[in-house]
Amino acid sequence: MKRNDILLIVGIVLAALLAAGIYWLFIYKEGTTVQVSINGKVTASFPLDTDTTYTIKTADGGINVLEIKNGAARIAEANCPDELCVHQKKISHQGENLICLPHKVMVDITNSEKKATLDGVAW
């Protein structure tokens, strides 16, 4: 390895650390609300700081049991064939989600204090 190779590696590591620091300081936020969507429609919303168990029932007979406990949400039970949603990690930060594809269920963590922002180009 030559001197320039080492400088390149150090530069890449420093850029990665800087990007991670910016992400942790400005983007990675605690969530406050759990939203349940079935087939793209929000059907229920719960505070993340209140322990709750909610049974999500879909039109095709699908059942998912959402458990909110100790400030984190997870799918505790499901009657889908693969149960991949049950094996996903608990979520508690804004932007994280749990998805059950066979039942078309999505559980999102949001921040209810979210301010309106522009999501397009404004003139």
Side-chain angles (χ1 to χ4, degrees), residues 8-24:
L8 178 65
I9 292 170
V10 168
I12 291 172
V13 169
L14 288 176
L17 290 174
L18 179 65
I22 289 171
Y23 175 77
W24 284 101

Side-chain angles (χ1 to χ4, degrees), residues 36-43 56-60 100-107:
V36 178
S37 302
I38 300 173
N39 206 14
K41 292 183 181 179
V42 176
T43 58
I56 305 164
K57 296 179 182 178
T58 62
D60 62 352
C100 180
L101 287 177
H103 297 155
K104 299 177 184 170
V105 172
M106 186 164 74
V107 178

